[in-house]
């Protein structure tokens, strides 16, 4: 019998299994804590669960992990790109960023991305597959096991490889576990999901009980330019309508990411249009000066242009911040991640 991968189960599915085994409810709490707080790799280590039950779990389920590779690279700014290996030998690129009071981990939702935004290296390389719920969670578990000291504050951003809203089945399962108090206990301010913005999916997330912050990659102020650089994007009005709805239902603000591309979306008119699109609405604007990668056809606007853009935007739009990406020197900044097509075998 093929064992079921326990980290792919939702909270409800775990409850049903515990009930089916005739066990009391607190076993669910114990199991979640062992899996996601103590992060054990074997059911036998779950010492407050009776041995007979541990054996039943062991027969029925497996506990997956992601393996590290030797491909960790360090940036001058203290961030690290860490490459993890899945069971099928495909590689997931993740980034750990160090800040004064917290750490941020940038994780992936897919291997590659099918959406082909022209400024994004992940998009250029195409798509291999969705990550499963356990593979999403195991990225965070890997960081907790190896890099995040106990009780240190950390945030998770789904800004690595892939489009999270094209993998919502696994994404939403993972976020439910991330939110759950017996598991990771991470609330909305600690998790951000970045998407190019599928309005239906945004509304579905807004109406759910899931707790996370939303970032929508707007990246243009006209549908013509947006479609040109993000061929899979939906129109701006519908996207912003959904982004606003999310903010209203979750009583927060939605972040709008805007990658500044020289001579494409960085003009005075763009700044004024962006202000008009966002003024008086529950948004925060996050400007991201473009990060270059090999053979890309775009460049970053000069500092003067970026400053002028901010100057025009700031008094007219909701909160504006500029993201100075981390890890640019090691290909770990926003939009620089990609999967390696070749499988690698690491020496033990
Ligand atoms: N697919 C999702 C999440 C991954 S991309 C999305 O597109 O939102 C995370 C962020 O990086 C997005 O805002 C995207 O617009 C931005 N990005 C992509 N390529 C970039 C690049 N070369 N320089 C700067 N930001 C980039
Ligand atoms: Fe995919 Fe996001 Fe890159 Fe577009 S920007 S290709 S949606 S990862």
């Amino acid at each position: 019998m093929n064992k079921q991968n326990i980290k792919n189960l939702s909270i409800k599915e775990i409850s049903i299994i515990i009930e089916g085994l005739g066990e009391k409810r607190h076993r669910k709490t114990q199991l979640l804590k062992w899996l996601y707080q103590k992060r054990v790799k074997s059911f036998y280590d779950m010492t407050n669960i009776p041995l007979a039950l541990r054996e039943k779990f062991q027969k029925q389920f497996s506990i997956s992990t992601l393996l590290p590779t030797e491909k960790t690279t360090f940036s001058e700014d203290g961030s690290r790109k860490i490459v993890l290996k899945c069971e099928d030998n495909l590689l997931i690129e993740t980034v750990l960023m160090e800040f004064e009071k917290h750490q941020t981990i940038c994780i992936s939702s897919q291997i590659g991305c099918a959406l082909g935004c022209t400024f994004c290296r992940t998009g250029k390389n195409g798509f291999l597959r969705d990550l499963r719920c356990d593979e999403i969670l195991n990225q965070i578990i890997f960081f907790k096991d190896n890099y995040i000291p106990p009780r240190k504050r950390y945030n998770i951003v789904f800004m690595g490889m892939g489009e999270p809203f094209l993998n919502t089945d696994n994404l939403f399962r993972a976020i439910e576990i991330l939110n759950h108090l017996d598991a990771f206990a991470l609330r909305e301010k600690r998790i951000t999901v970045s998407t190019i913005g599928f309005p239906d999916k945004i509304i579905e997330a807004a109406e759910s009980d899931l707790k996370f912050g939303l970032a929508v990659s707007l990246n243009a102020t006209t549908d013509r330019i947006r479609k040109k650089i993000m061929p899979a994007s939906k129109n701006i009005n519908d996207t912003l309508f959904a982004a606003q709805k999310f903010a209203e239902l979750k009583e927060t603000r939605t972040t709008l990411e805007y990658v500044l591309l020289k001579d494409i979306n960085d003009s005075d008119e763009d700044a004024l249009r962006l202000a008009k699109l966002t003024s008086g609405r529950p948004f925060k604007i996050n400007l991201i000066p473009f990060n270059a990668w090999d053979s890309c056809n775009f460049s970053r606007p000069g500092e003067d242009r970026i400053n002028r853009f901010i100057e025009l935007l700031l008094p007219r739009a909701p909160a504006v911040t500029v993201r100075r990406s981390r890890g640019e020197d090691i290909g770990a900044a926003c939009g620089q991640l990609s999967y390696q097509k070749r499988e690698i075998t690491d020496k033990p």
Side-chain angles (χ1 to χ4, degrees), residues 98-241:
E98 303 280 349
F99 297 91
E100 206 180 309
K101 294 212 171 89
H102 72 277
Q103 290 166 303
T104 295
I105 50 187
C106 175
I107 62 169
S108 297
S109 56
Q110 298 181 315
I111 298 189
C113 183
L115 298 185
C117 302
T118 52
F119 52 85
C120 173
R121 181 158 184 240
T122 314
K124 192 179 157 85
N125 268 12
F127 173 73
L128 281 186
R129 69 170 173 86
D130 284 335
L131 289 180
R132 301 184 310 250
C133 172
D134 69 304
E135 292 170 322
I136 294 175
L137 294 172
N138 279 336
Q139 294 174 65
I140 300 148
I141 288 176
F142 178 83
F143 280 106
K144 293 274 287 175
D145 281 348
N146 294 285
Y147 292 104
I148 301 175
R151 284 180 289 283
K152 171 105 186 193
R153 193 182 164 82
Y154 67 101
N155 298 328
I156 295 171
V157 295
F158 283 85
M159 294 184 187
M161 290 189 291
E163 169 48 49
F165 277 12
L166 286 185
N167 186 17
T168 42
D169 188 22
N170 291 303
L171 175 78
F172 289 173
R173 263 169 200 265
I175 293 178
E176 187 196 26
I177 305 271
L178 293 176
N179 289 156
H180 200 281
L181 293 177
D182 294 327
F184 292 85
L186 292 169
R187 312 312 268 182
E188 51 271 69
K189 287 212 162 56
R190 312 271 304 278
I191 306 171
T192 303
V193 177
S194 175
T195 171
I196 77 161
F198 295 100
D200 298 353
K201 297 282 182 186
I202 294 178
I203 305 279
E204 185 188 334
E207 288 172 347
S208 77
D209 292 331
L210 297 171
K211 295 177 178 55
F212 63 89
L214 181 70
V216 174
S217 301
L218 184 63
N219 296 344
T221 59
T222 64
D223 283 323
R224 189 179 65 83
I225 297 295
R226 192 159 191 260
K227 214 54 196 174
K228 207 164 165 190
I229 58 174
M230 301 163 71
S233 64
K234 306 287 177 211
N235 78 55
I236 292 178
N237 276 345
D238 292 349
T239 305
L240 292 185
F241 175 84

Side-chain angles (χ1 to χ4, degrees), residues 10-40:
S10 67
I11 305 287
K12 193 159 176 214
E13 287 163 347
I14 291 184
S15 299
I16 292 172
I17 284 163
I18 298 286
E19 242 173 70
L21 290 168
E23 292 290 332
K24 297 224 170 71
R25 270 204 217 149
H26 73 282
R27 296 277 178 235
K28 180 188 82 183
T29 304
Q30 289 176 325
L31 186 60
L32 288 172
K33 287 188 171 172
W34 282 114
L35 285 173
Y36 300 117
Q37 294 186 356
K38 301 194 186 79
R39 305 182 298 281
V40 297

